[in-house]
Amino acid sequence: MSEPTPAQIADELKSKRPIVLSARPALAEPAAAPDADEEWPLPGGTAWVYYGKGHKQLVKPFITADGFNSGPSKLGELWEYLEGGAYRFISRLRERGYDVIIVGFDERSASILDNSRVAREAIMRAIAQRTGDAPLKVGGFSMGGLVTRHALAKMESEQIDHQTDLYFSYDSPHRGAWIPIALQAFAHYIRDLDSRFSDQINSPAAQQLLWRHIPEWDSTPEQSQQRTAFLQEMERIGEWPMRPRKIAVANGVGTGAGNGINPSDLAVEGKGLSVSGTKLYTQASGSKELVAKLRVVTLKTNEVRTSELPAIDGAPGGTLEGFGILADGLNELDPWLGFKTDVPIRSHCFVPAVSAVDIRDVATDQDLYAPIDDMSPGDSRLDDFKLASQNEGHTLVTEELCSWIIERLG
């Protein structure tokens, strides 16, 4: 049998589910969510409303926004994530009389500023339809926490009453998120075969979220111009909403203990003929550190090196199975194509704990691994926050974190 051609490889890649990064597992057929009591078509998105216990209309709105991914929000996936685990977050809220409004987006990788308008529309409709005067609770998971933070702050800057007394974020990257440069480089390296992974990394939302970004496999990691513009917009509107009480939870620990991932360790290794020679390494601090050897189909192997970046893959915080998602996607291809891949390390830090609770920047090992428990809570612009007892999956729904939020709803 002859070796596969680039065209055959491209066809196979495009016939499979895209290799894209997500905290939630890709579900071919998402579980069916129960019918919503109301469904609100919004410009750029949809909101699904589930009344609280004993309600036949909107009384105590609790608005939560979806996070980063590619493509439109899917209610089935959201429901499974929030309700399908050991702790049923939506059920607990509804039992306490809260009407849960889940805000989804037509494109989750669109600009945070675009999706902020969707959240704003949901807030305004909740105010218009609410019976009584119970204040709103507004926030979101991951990027959803930034979307709603911007929406509320912008409404205040325009002197619009959002009638919200509590803002919450769930492992949201207030000071930036992290995708290993090795993964970003690989995504761009296979762009000619299948652009979907690269498209996600270069999407507006990804560039706004990521602390360091590369648009091409051989680019120098730096702050994207889109992130710079986003940060300038946040500064223009005052950074944070001032009227509501602001709380946050993080899926990372406050002790400063890392997740056990060491710098410069081999995370992904190509074994099949088409990727033999490809090696992705965890991020190390230092000068001209090797983070990737890239070889896909062609004979030549290219190296990717970085300088002056921290050892962030092992930092305390919410983790993402980025290396694992890539390897799983390659191993789903027809074995004849030669993409068999080993993955000694599946996960990496995605949202550092110091970012999720807005207490330190993420540029140095000293700040990334600093014990938050020993810091003054006043160093954060949040009013209160809770860190997990272990480093765990990004936005993992746990009783520890969700019950803490519920206790503070008033």
Side-chain angles (χ1 to χ4, degrees):
M1 183 178 291
S2 60
E3 292 184 4
T5 66
Q8 289 172 317
I9 293 171
D11 287 345
E12 173 73 358
L13 277 165
K14 293 170 184 175
S15 73
K16 301 292 186 181
R17 288 180 302 180
I19 298 172
V20 292
L21 303 181
S22 170
R24 297 191 289 270
L27 302 173
E29 294 294 334
D35 290 340
D37 293 300
E38 295 185 46
E39 182 172 324
W40 301 344
L42 303 170
T46 304
W48 297 277
V49 182
Y50 292 89
Y51 295 153
K53 183 177 180 180
H55 294 175
K56 297 184 182 302
Q57 54 195 344
L58 205 60
V59 180
K60 294 173 63 177
F62 179 98
I63 297 177
T64 181
D66 196 6
F68 175 74
N69 205 322
S70 294
S73 299
K74 299 176 182 178
L75 178 59
E77 289 182 0
L78 285 163
W79 188 268
E80 180 68 20
Y81 200 69
L82 294 169
E83 277 284 288
Y87 190 82
R88 300 175 65 191
F89 190 37
I90 297 175
S91 292
R92 298 296 185 275
L93 288 165
R94 297 175 74 193
E95 287 166 4
R96 292 179 65 120
Y98 287 97
D99 307 302
V100 179
I101 303 169
I102 303 171
V103 178
F105 309 114
D106 289 347
E107 178 50 64
R108 288 170 288 181
S109 67
S111 168
I112 293 171
L113 306 184
D114 290 342
N115 284 332
S116 170
R117 288 190 278 272
V118 181
R120 176 176 173 149
E121 289 293 323
I123 291 167
M124 296 305 295
R125 181 153 180 179
I127 292 170
Q129 290 194 201
R130 174 194 55 188
T131 298
D133 59 359
L136 279 61
K137 321 296 182 183
V138 177
F141 284 65
S142 189
M143 182 190 74
L146 296 183
V147 167
T148 50
R149 173 183 156 189
H150 178 270
L152 293 170
K154 187 171 185 183
M155 291 174 77
E156 288 184 7
S157 74
E158 297 174 355
Q159 298 184 328
I160 297 173
D161 186 3
H162 51 58
Q163 299 186 33
T164 299
D165 73 347
L166 184 129
Y167 160 83
F168 74 93
S169 66
Y170 202 111
D171 214 37
S172 297
H174 293 295
R175 301 208 188 186
W178 170 256
I179 296 298
I181 298 303
L183 278 175
Q184 295 189 48
F186 189 90
H188 302 320
Y189 205 75
I190 63 168
R191 181 189 296 152
D192 289 345
L193 297 172
D194 184 355
S195 70
R196 291 176 293 179
F197 193 8
S198 175
D199 291 343
Q200 185 193 41
I201 296 297
N202 282 343
S203 67
Q207 293 192 55
Q208 291 165 337
L209 291 168
L210 291 175
W211 172 69
R212 289 294 179 265
H213 171 262
I214 56 172
E216 304 289 343
W217 73 264
D218 56 353
S219 299
T220 300
E222 59 186 6
Q223 181 171 286
S224 165
Q225 291 183 358
Q226 292 205 46
R227 177 163 176 78
T228 299
F230 170 68
L231 294 177
Q232 289 172 342
E233 162 67 6
M234 293 303 296
E235 183 177 8
R236 185 187 69 81
I237 62 173
E239 295 281 2
W240 292 82
M242 291 295 105
R243 297 178 197 164
R245 178 170 171 79
K246 298 176 287 293
I247 66 172
V249 297
N251 289 112
V253 300
T255 63
N259 57 28
I261 297 171
N262 297 315
S264 298
D265 277 357
L266 181 65
V268 175
E269 182 175 16
K271 293 293 189 179
L273 183 63
S274 293
V275 288
S276 177
T278 288
K279 296 182 178 182
L280 307 185
Y281 299 92
T282 57
Q283 185 64 52
S285 56
S287 177
K288 297 182 179 179
E289 294 288 339
L290 179 66
V291 296
K293 291 183 177 181
L294 302 175
R295 182 193 158 269
V296 179
V297 181
T298 61
L299 294 176
K300 184 178 180 180
T301 300
N302 287 294
E303 291 187 349
V304 178
R305 294 180 178 271
T306 63
S307 296
E308 300 179 359
L309 296 179
I312 190 170
D313 287 332
T319 60
L320 185 71
E321 288 200 348
F323 296 122
I325 290 170
L326 171 61
D328 291 348
L330 296 179
N331 285 327
E332 285 181 5
L333 302 176
D334 190 321
W336 171 68
L337 297 176
F339 277 79
K340 176 176 170 53
T341 301
D342 287 350
V343 55
I345 299 172
R346 293 188 63 86
S347 300
H348 55 83
C349 179
F350 179 51
V351 177
V354 292
S355 177
V357 300
D358 186 53
I359 204 162
R360 289 286 188 276
D361 290 327
V362 301
T364 67
D365 288 347
Q366 182 178 2
D367 282 343
L368 283 166
Y369 293 85
I372 299 170
D373 293 344
D374 296 341
M375 298 180 195
S376 168
D379 290 348
S380 171
R381 291 170 290 186
L382 295 157
D383 296 306
D384 199 3
F385 55 79
K386 168 75 172 175
L387 292 122
S389 56
Q390 62 183 358
N391 294 309
E392 56 199 15
H394 170 60
T395 65
L396 181 67
V397 173
T398 68
E399 180 176 359
E400 177 183 33
L401 299 182
C402 291
S403 63
W404 184 90
I405 291 174
I406 289 175
E407 288 168 2
R408 279 151 184 79
L409 295 180

